[in-house]
Amino acid sequence: MEQNVKYYVVKDKAVPEVLIKVVEAKRLLTADKIMTVKEATDKCGISRSSFYKYKDDIFPFDDSSKGRNITLSIQISDEPGLLSELLAVVAKYHANILTIHQTIPVSGVATISLSIEILKDTGDLSKMVDEIGSLEGIFDIKILARE
């Protein structure tokens, strides 16, 4: 019987420490082909059973996104040049913009739906989203979909 699989995108502060350590152990194993699972888990301070239990279910968001599309919803202040700054961040990370839709601003705030293709040379997606969210005049940013 096939189970319905659901995926969630959460910020790292909401992820239990053991899962973060599993991701780190996987990174160590990828970086050092000679390292054993026992060595990687010892270095990260987790048990091998925890590693094997979660290794196929946790991964950094950007690792699985290459060649895929994401859609962001962004609440943005209606200020000249702010959309240009936002798009410059996307360009800086070498992502390809597929669509942009902006609502008419209400009370000085517009909603932008931005669909982005993640390419092979796209930088760290998490950092890109954080950098967009830290721009002056960005009120909220959410990842709506990942295809």
Side-chain angles (χ1 to χ4, degrees):
M1 187 164 110
E2 187 176 310
Q3 293 179 333
N4 289 336
V5 177
K6 293 183 180 182
Y7 294 92
Y8 300 92
V9 176
V10 296
K11 292 183 179 179
D12 61 348
K13 69 180 181 183
V15 178
E17 185 178 356
V18 66
L19 297 179
I20 300 295
K21 289 180 177 184
V22 168
V23 170
E24 176 61 14
K26 287 172 58 174
R27 187 194 64 73
L28 289 172
L29 289 166
T30 301
D32 184 351
K33 301 292 185 193
I34 299 172
M35 183 178 280
T36 66
V37 171
K38 177 159 180 24
E39 291 169 332
T41 55
D42 285 350
K43 194 167 193 168
C44 293
I46 57 172
S47 67
R48 285 184 307 135
S49 62
S50 292
F51 176 81
Y52 285 115
K53 181 176 181 179
Y54 298 117
K55 73 177 181 66
D56 295 327
D57 297 321
I58 182 79
F59 47 87
F61 179 68
D62 57 315
D63 281 359
S64 67
S65 299
K66 307 294 185 209
R68 305 186 110 180
N69 303 332
I70 64 165
T71 302
L72 303 173
S73 175
I74 307 163
Q75 301 289 314
I76 183 171
S77 179
D78 183 27
E79 298 175 19
L82 186 52
L83 179 58
S84 178
E85 287 180 46
L86 185 156
L87 298 178
V89 172
V90 175
K92 173 181 161 185
Y93 283 87
H94 303 282
N96 184 37
I97 296 171
L98 299 172
T99 64
I100 301 172
H101 175 77
Q102 180 176 331
T103 63
I104 295 172
V106 176
S107 300
V109 177
T111 300
I112 295 176
S113 174
L114 184 64
S115 293
I116 301 170
E117 180 182 18
I118 308 306
L119 305 172
K120 289 180 188 174
D121 62 342
T122 299
D124 186 326
L125 190 59
S126 298
K127 288 182 181 176
M128 182 185 77
V129 172
D130 284 345
E131 193 169 327
I132 292 169
S134 69
L135 292 173
E136 185 75 28
I138 302 293
F139 299 111
D140 189 38
I141 183 167
K142 288 186 173 50
I143 300 169
L144 294 182
R146 190 178 116 202
E147 304 170 12

